[in-house]
Amino acid sequence: RRSSDLASQVQYMNTVIGSQQINNITHIQPLSDKQLNFTVQSALGGSLSYLYFFCALPQVRVHNLVLFIRTSVKISYAGHTSQSSLETYQYVDCGANSSISWASP
């Protein structure tokens, strides 16, 4: 029997704008390739509220924001614990309300 914990953090310009921690999310069978979808709520407010004006400027054709996403999963099984991490970048065109994901090398 395996149990897993998931942690994810979203950053814009080294500022954390969202995070999610889920403990004991599932029991995964050995050699499983199960996929887990989750959402991290993020907000660009406070000191980053100026981004609303950037996204709404009609003079700028492309309104790209680059979000850095770090996700790690901790798996415990048979008295052993291991952790794996993934870092990705999400390019968000806030003017067109679209995004593209890129995994870091």
Side-chain angles (χ1 to χ4, degrees):
R1 180 178 123 183
R2 299 170 92 169
S3 64
S4 303
D5 297 333
L6 178 81
S8 189
Q9 186 179 77
V10 179
Q11 296 179 6
Y12 175 75
M13 301 290 288
N14 295 322
T15 300
V16 176
I17 59 171
S19 62
Q20 176 82 337
Q21 174 80 34
I22 306 172
N23 297 319
N24 281 331
I25 53 173
T26 187
H27 295 288
I28 302 171
Q29 297 299 319
L31 302 176
S32 173
D33 61 353
K34 185 175 181 178
Q35 179 175 321
L36 174 70
N37 295 313
F38 64 97
T39 301
V40 178
Q41 296 293 323
S42 303
L44 294 168
S47 64
L48 298 173
S49 60
Y50 69 90
L51 290 171
Y52 170 79
F53 298 106
F54 169 76
C55 292
L57 276 174
Q59 298 90 340
V60 178
R61 292 179 188 246
V62 179
H63 304 85
N64 283 335
L65 303 177
V66 180
L67 303 180
F68 175 70
I69 304 166
R70 177 181 294 123
T71 302
S72 64
V73 63
K74 182 171 67 173
I75 301 172
S76 301
Y77 58 96
H80 177 74
T81 301
S82 64
Q83 183 168 329
S84 181
S85 297
L86 173 67
E87 295 180 344
T88 61
Y89 294 92
Q90 183 84 22
Y91 291 83
V92 178
D93 182 351
C94 57
N97 197 21
S98 64
S99 64
I100 299 173
S101 296
W102 296 94
S104 61

